[in-house]
Amino acid sequence: MIKVAIMGYGTIGSGVYEVLKTNQQIIAANVGQEIQVKYILDLREFPGTEVEKKIIHDFSVIAEDEEIQIVVETMGGLDPAYSFVKTCLEAGKHVATSNKALVAAYGTKLLEIARKKKVNFLFEASVGGGIPIIRPLYTCLMGEKIQEITGILNGTTNYILTKMDKEGASFNGALKEAQDLGYAERNPEADVEGHDTCRKIAILTAMATRKEVNYQDIYTEGITRITDIDFKYAGKMGTSIKLFGSSRMEEDQVFAWVAPVMIGKDHPLYAVSDVYNGILVKGNMLGTSMFYGSGAGRLPTASAVAADIIEAAKSLNSNIPLGWTEEKLRIAPMETSSHRYFVRISGRYESQKETVEQCLGTCQIVTLEGLNEYAALTEKKSEKQFKQELERLEEKLALVYQGVLQTIRAEV
């Protein structure tokens, strides 16, 4: 029998306990022996429940108990999660976590400790919830040179954008509905400003390149500037707008960024809607593959943690080669990346045609009836060039019109 401790009995921690109990026989058959939860570390008591006698409040009980071979961290945040996980690894215990903030900030250090101690630091649930993506990158795709990972990695923002797209909702209206349904926190900043997606694409980029990625080096733009008017244009153009976390390996450069992107119906991620996540992985031999499913949620995420527990249980005396080294990856400056751009401009195109063509070059023009504005879809160009062109355009239009109302990167 293998004894396990769960640190944090909130949404995910309680889900892990339920998965281990409900699928007890399946898990035991896979591992070759029974998995038993001995301790649950939490500040609360849970009186009258089946876990009441397993609850402890002192972390040292877990750290010092030699019977505990696998520890699950589902507390979230960095403090005390980092010190607790570090102590467990140093004590020769395997750790499985769902904590993306922990992996993004301290993954390099914790992976190194795990290697030295011949234990495992596993984090399948940190990206994509219940979608298998970390494990495929170090097993199924280990023979591939990864050229791109692009994903819709946050269910909250995808739900908001879907409501705006399908129902014409405003950003604030869609956000409130997401909060009422429990998809968004009362303070939704981490989701809507792109920080959550940033940490996840940092982890995936590190997995793909085998180098340490500082998530703070990744250009990050959220969805708070997206409006229902943008979606009206998108509808007329046969496109949609999604929040992408993207990592693209081009020759000797790696581009990584988070931003809203206008995409066409032929894009593999176009149909990913509501709270679902989708992750596109492109390999030099495989081509493009897609991973799709529940990117969050109690039981889907807990299922991914349970898979890590099983893998750790089957490798109790060895370290599984995964993750990345201490070598730091240089992320190319965002201004050197290239995109098409959707630009909304105040005024009438007929009177501004010459100015727009001089500043932005050849564009596809889109108009909406009843609005004193129009949209231009540019050709592909570098971010630096586009910003320079945009400055010139705003200078020429500023005296008479409001000028540029919106810009969104596009892949159509």
Side-chain angles (χ1 to χ4, degrees):
M1 180 182 292
I2 297 173
K3 302 286 181 73
V4 173
I6 298 174
M7 300 191 300
Y9 198 65
T11 301
I12 308 303
S14 63
V16 172
Y17 183 84
E18 183 175 340
V19 170
L20 294 178
K21 181 183 72 170
T22 303
N23 290 352
Q24 181 178 349
Q25 293 182 341
I26 296 172
I27 292 169
N30 274 302
V31 173
Q33 56 183 312
E34 186 180 344
I35 301 283
Q36 184 187 80
V37 177
K38 183 175 182 179
Y39 302 122
I40 297 173
L41 179 71
D42 203 279
L43 296 173
R44 297 162 292 177
E45 296 291 349
F46 300 96
T49 69
E50 64 179 278
V51 302
E52 180 180 6
K53 294 183 179 179
K54 299 179 186 292
I55 296 292
I56 60 171
H57 307 300
D58 183 357
F59 165 70
S60 66
V61 173
I62 294 173
E64 295 169 8
D65 189 337
E66 294 183 0
E67 276 196 329
I68 299 297
Q69 294 176 282
I70 302 172
V71 178
V72 173
E73 186 278 303
T74 50
M75 295 182 293
L78 298 179
D79 184 23
Y82 172 61
S83 62
F84 285 5
V85 169
K86 182 172 179 284
T87 299
C88 288
L89 292 172
E90 289 173 337
K93 303 179 191 298
H94 303 264
V95 174
T97 182
S98 61
N99 190 341
K100 58 190 167 289
L102 176 69
V103 180
Y106 295 111
T108 305
K109 177 68 174 176
L110 296 173
L111 284 165
E112 183 59 26
I113 294 170
R115 292 185 192 109
K116 288 180 180 177
K117 292 293 182 177
K118 293 183 170 55
V119 292
N120 293 290
F121 176 60
L122 302 170
F123 45 91
E124 179 64 63
S126 67
V127 178
I131 304 172
I133 182 62
I134 300 295
R135 191 165 286 107
L137 286 173
Y138 69 85
T139 55
C140 313
L141 302 177
M142 66 172 64
E144 288 287 322
K145 179 181 180 181
I146 303 299
Q147 297 173 320
E148 177 183 350
I149 301 177
T150 294
I152 295 171
L153 300 170
N154 183 277
T156 300
T157 52
N158 203 41
Y159 177 84
I160 291 170
L161 293 175
T162 299
K163 297 293 286 187
M164 296 175 73
D165 188 1
K166 306 301 183 187
E167 299 179 15
S170 67
F171 170 79
N172 288 331
L175 171 59
K176 185 179 185 306
E177 186 168 337
Q179 290 172 324
D180 291 343
L181 291 170
Y183 296 148
E185 301 289 341
R186 289 299 108 186
N187 178 2
E189 181 180 352
D191 294 325
V192 300
E193 295 294 354
H195 305 314
D196 176 81
T197 297
C198 174
R199 284 164 174 77
K200 291 173 180 175
I201 197 63
I203 294 168
L204 293 177
T205 304
M207 288 294 301
T209 62
R210 303 285 180 174
K211 295 179 182 179
E212 179 183 36
V213 175
N214 183 347
Y215 68 90
Q216 294 174 320
D217 292 341
I218 296 176
Y219 174 86
T220 301
E221 182 181 317
I223 65 169
T224 55
R225 290 177 56 250
I226 303 299
T227 71
D228 53 336
I229 301 296
D230 298 324
F231 276 105
K232 288 179 180 178
Y233 279 105
K236 186 167 184 179
M237 297 166 66
T239 64
S240 188
I241 302 167
K242 306 287 187 181
L243 182 69
F244 276 4
S246 188
S247 177
R248 306 181 186 198
M249 299 73 177
E250 301 177 7
E251 298 176 354
D252 59 344
Q253 287 188 305
V254 176
F255 298 91
W257 46 265
V258 175
V261 180
M262 181 175 282
I263 58 174
K265 292 180 179 179
D266 58 344
H267 195 290
L269 294 171
Y270 178 88
V272 179
S273 59
D274 293 315
V275 294
Y276 286 91
N277 283 192
I279 306 169
L280 175 156
V281 179
K282 186 180 293 183
N284 66 329
M285 298 291 111
L286 173 70
T288 300
S289 59
M290 274 281 292
F291 299 81
Y292 170 83
S294 298
R298 179 172 176 267
L299 293 179
T301 304
S303 175
V305 176
D308 280 348
I309 294 171
I310 293 169
E311 184 157 20
K314 295 169 77 171
S315 306
L316 286 176
N317 300 309
S318 62
N319 174 261
I320 301 162
L322 79 123
W324 51 88
T325 68
E326 293 180 340
E327 183 181 354
K328 290 178 171 51
L329 179 69
R330 181 182 180 275
I331 303 295
M334 187 63 178
E335 66 177 13
T336 63
S337 66
S338 296
H339 313 266
R340 297 184 76 184
Y341 297 88
F342 167 84
V343 187
R344 282 173 48 207
I345 304 167
S346 176
R348 297 291 178 183
Y349 176 65
E350 292 78 13
S351 61
Q352 300 177 11
K353 179 179 179 181
E354 185 176 344
T355 301
V356 170
E357 289 179 350
Q358 286 176 351
C359 294
L360 298 181
T362 303
C363 295
Q364 175 187 335
I365 303 300
V366 185
T367 60
L368 292 178
E369 189 175 347
L371 294 182
N372 185 36
E373 62 171 75
Y374 59 95
L377 181 64
T378 75
E379 296 298 314
K380 190 174 183 179
K381 59 190 70 181
S382 74
E383 186 106 349
K384 182 177 181 180
Q385 179 184 342
F386 173 68
K387 285 184 176 180
Q388 290 172 343
E389 292 176 350
L390 201 62
E391 281 184 17
R392 288 199 298 271
L393 179 64
E394 290 188 308
E395 285 176 6
K396 290 178 179 294
L397 298 179
L399 294 177
V400 183
Y401 303 100
Q402 284 179 272
V404 175
L405 304 172
Q406 175 70 288
T407 61
I408 302 173
R409 294 166 188 84
E411 295 183 10
V412 293

